[in-house]
Amino acid sequence: MKAVSIKMSQIMYSLKLVFVFLASTNIQITEGTSPSYSTNHKIFVKTACNSTTYPDKCYKSLSSYSSTIKSDPIKLCSTALKLNVNSAKEAASVISKLLKKSQKSAAGRKNKVLPEKLILRDCLEEMKDTVVELKQAITEMKTLRDGDSVSGHIANVRTWVSAALTDEGTCTDGFEEIKVNRETKKKVTQVVEELATTTSNTLALITNLSY
């Protein structure tokens, strides 16, 4: 009887070990699921960015939003557009500050209108137009899930983003036509070209959008 009792104790102990193993295995699977999904979402973003003109910049800006984007191409493009708007606002802010500085300089020269001032004013208007056009593209993106004329809405989004890219190019063109302060030209060119690379990537993502 004592032998049977000892044997039963050994069996119960073995079963406990099995349960502990299964429980620990289940925890590992559960905990491992989230990183796996996260990796898949980042791969989706990486693959999409590889189709853009500046893939590294694209992935760097969008990868941190992969958990929100998941594997949804519409969310991908919408996120890219929102980040694009922020970049356009930052560019407009830089140019606005340069314009104010130029206006002070003009005031110190008995209100003489400097060519630089006029170019900066025009460039600022182009940046404001860019912000408006990108916001229009975001509004158009919201209609894509309605199911009606999806291809038409995508075409409209592309048109808005293309217009924004054109405006950005128009801004820097002005600095090539008229001689202005070298430092001012450098700052404007840098910020607008940075914005243009972002807009170019956004346009590529939208062009490759399949829904």
Side-chain angles (χ1 to χ4, degrees), residues 19-105:
F19 286 136
V20 170
F21 172 76
L22 289 175
S24 64
T25 302
N26 185 55
I27 291 172
Q28 290 173 1
I29 291 173
T30 303
E31 292 177 348
T33 300
S34 180
S36 177
Y37 276 116
S38 176
T39 300
N40 289 338
H41 296 154
K42 286 188 177 182
I43 290 174
F44 169 77
V45 173
K46 181 73 172 177
T47 302
C49 284
N50 285 339
S51 67
T52 65
T53 312
Y54 309 94
D56 291 340
K57 178 181 175 65
C58 173
Y59 183 71
K60 184 178 180 180
S61 64
L62 290 171
S63 59
S64 58
Y65 298 90
S66 59
S67 59
T68 301
I69 295 170
K70 294 182 170 54
S71 296
D72 189 328
I74 292 180
K75 286 183 179 179
L76 174 73
C77 292
S78 296
T79 302
L81 280 166
K82 289 175 183 177
L83 294 175
N84 211 154
V85 169
N86 292 339
S87 296
K89 287 180 178 179
E90 289 173 9
S93 177
V94 170
I95 295 168
S96 178
K97 290 176 182 177
L98 290 171
L99 176 59
K100 289 178 182 179
K101 183 179 179 181
S102 179
Q103 287 173 333
K104 287 182 179 180
S105 177

